Amino acid sequence: MRPRKLVLALALLALSSAAFAKPVTYVCDPAHPHPSFAADHMGGLSVWRGMFTRTRCTIVMNRQARTGTVHVTVDTASDDFGNAQLDKDARNMPALLDSARYPTATYVGRLADFVHGSPTRVIGRFTLHGVTRPLTLTIRHFECKEIPAFHQYRCGADAISEFDRAKYGMTFGKAFGFQMWVRLKIQVEAVRQK
């Protein structure tokens, strides 16, 4: 085969394999997706830190086609500041989580900006406290590998973002000078489904 025809054949093969690659579904291991957060306390006096302990998520990804989606649901009553009274207050206050009225927070997004087969961002919409707004996650690390001890293939990621909680109607402390930023750190391990 002539070199020109060989290059053309290889290009067509690459295109066809990408076109026929199937998306793969991954379900998050419930022991790993614990979104953690940091928020201002008393206008710079200190920082509140905590996490949510009950989260469900599904990732559908086609690494060859550089596409994918993410769907995350967080139980807002699973907040854990390491302080039982603060946990209770945050769940019950209308200007904070108000978990009875808003029992879940959700994030729906698409994987984007793949580098060497791995996404570097998730562009999506975050629903919290009954308000939905755009929110982009920056993926700082992404890895997929076989885990022989569990007989599983997993993908894991570490992502960060920041948002203004007042824009979601969570204005507790604003009148006292609390800053409204919230920083998110999200670690995920998801198991490939057969």
Side-chain angles (χ1 to χ4, degrees):
M1 186 180 284
R2 293 181 181 176
R4 198 168 172 186
K5 286 186 176 180
L6 179 61
V7 170
L8 181 60
L10 290 173
L12 289 172
L13 180 63
L15 284 172
S16 65
S17 65
F20 292 111
K22 292 182 180 178
V24 179
T25 299
Y26 298 82
V27 173
C28 292
D29 177 349
H32 286 278
H34 296 316
S36 63
F37 53 85
D40 174 71
H41 184 235
M42 294 290 184
L45 185 63
S46 65
V47 176
W48 275 338
R49 288 187 173 87
M51 67 178 180
F52 292 99
T53 61
R54 291 191 298 272
T55 304
R56 300 182 310 277
C57 75
T58 303
I59 300 162
V60 178
M61 181 171 55
N62 186 331
R63 295 183 83 176
Q64 284 183 295
R66 298 183 174 192
T67 60
T69 58
V70 175
H71 190 283
V72 182
T73 302
V74 176
D75 178 351
T76 61
S78 71
D79 62 314
D80 184 354
F81 288 87
N83 178 314
Q85 187 59 53
L86 183 54
D87 295 342
K88 184 178 176 182
D89 290 345
R91 291 170 199 160
N92 294 328
M93 287 184 179
L96 279 179
L97 293 171
D98 198 2
S99 297
R101 191 172 176 194
Y102 306 108
T104 60
T106 60
Y107 182 77
V108 179
R110 64 178 178 84
L111 300 172
D113 301 335
F114 282 67
V115 175
H116 305 300
S118 297
T120 61
R121 290 197 305 158
V122 188
I123 301 169
R125 297 183 68 77
F126 183 40
T127 301
L128 176 66
H129 206 252
V131 177
T132 301
R133 296 182 55 82
L135 183 69
T136 296
L137 306 177
T138 299
I139 300 174
R140 299 191 299 182
H141 181 76
F142 185 91
E143 176 97 20
C144 293
K145 62 170 69 174
E146 195 74 39
I147 309 297
F150 301 145
H151 306 288
Q152 294 174 338
Y153 186 84
R154 292 185 173 215
C155 288
D158 182 52
I160 58 172
S161 192
E162 185 170 322
F163 65 90
D164 180 340
R165 64 182 172 91
K167 292 181 178 178
Y168 292 86
M170 297 174 60
T171 56
F172 173 78
K174 189 171 185 179
F176 305 110
F178 283 46
Q179 298 171 39
M180 295 290 102
W181 56 262
V182 175
R183 295 188 185 115
L184 296 175
K185 291 185 178 180
I186 304 163
Q187 81 283 0
V188 171
E189 286 189 24
V191 180
R192 182 174 62 191
Q193 303 301 288
K194 295 182 180 181

